[in-house]
Amino acid sequence: MSEDPVLAGYRQSIDNIDAAMIHILAERFRITQAVGTYKAQNKLPASDPGREERQIARLRSLAADAKLDPEFSEKFLRFIIEEVIRHHQKAADAR
Ligand SMILES: C=C(O[C@@H]1C=C(C(=O)O)C=C[C@H]1O)C(=O)O
C-alpha cells in the first residue's frame, strides 16, 4: 500500500528536523568534550550549578517565547547537562 502523501510530506519535514537536531547535539557534545578536557587539565570542577541555573532560566524564557513548554525544555536541557557532567567526571577520573 502506498503511503498517504500528506502524511509523507509531514514526515519528510520531521526527518529533516531530526537530522538537524542530531547535528546540533553532536556539535554541542564536541565542544563540551573540549570543556571537559580543559577542566580536567586545570583541576576545575566537573559541574557548575550556578551556570546551569542561569542557562535553564534563559532556556525557559526562550521556550515560553517560542510557545514550547518550559517544563519540557528544562527537563530536556537537564538531561543533556547530566550526560555532559558524566563525561567531565570521566575525563577527570582518567587523569
Ligand atoms: C559545559 C560546562 O560544564 C557543565 C555542563 C554544562 C552544559 O552542558 O551546559 C553547564 C555547566 C556545567 O555543569 C561548563 O561549565 O560550561
Side-chain angles (χ1 to χ4, degrees):
M1 200 182 92
S2 62
E3 202 182 355
D4 178 323
V6 175
L7 193 53
Y10 292 147
R11 285 178 176 171
Q12 173 71 59
S13 194
I14 290 168
D15 287 349
N16 288 345
I17 292 164
D18 287 350
M21 286 195 321
I22 290 298
H23 288 123
I24 288 167
L25 268 181
E27 199 56 22
R28 193 185 198 282
F29 275 95
R30 200 177 64 81
I31 190 68
T32 56
Q33 180 111 9
V35 173
T37 302
Y38 178 81
K39 283 181 172 178
Q41 281 167 350
N42 293 280
K43 299 195 175 351
L44 294 169
S47 72
D48 182 341
R51 160 81 175 153
E52 292 166 27
E53 291 317 305
R54 289 191 297 279
Q55 283 171 284
I56 284 159
R58 177 171 171 266
L59 256 279
R60 285 187 68 104
S61 165
L62 287 172
D65 289 349
K67 309 271 182 276
L68 183 67
D69 181 2
E71 286 301 313
F72 167 76
S73 304
E74 174 170 346
K75 267 196 255 168
F76 182 67
L77 188 63
R78 284 197 192 276
F79 177 68
I80 292 169
I81 291 176
E82 199 178 294
E83 180 69 4
V84 170
I85 292 169
R86 205 176 60 78
H87 292 180
H88 288 185
Q89 201 56 65
K90 236 170 119 181
D93 293 347
R95 298 215 131 236

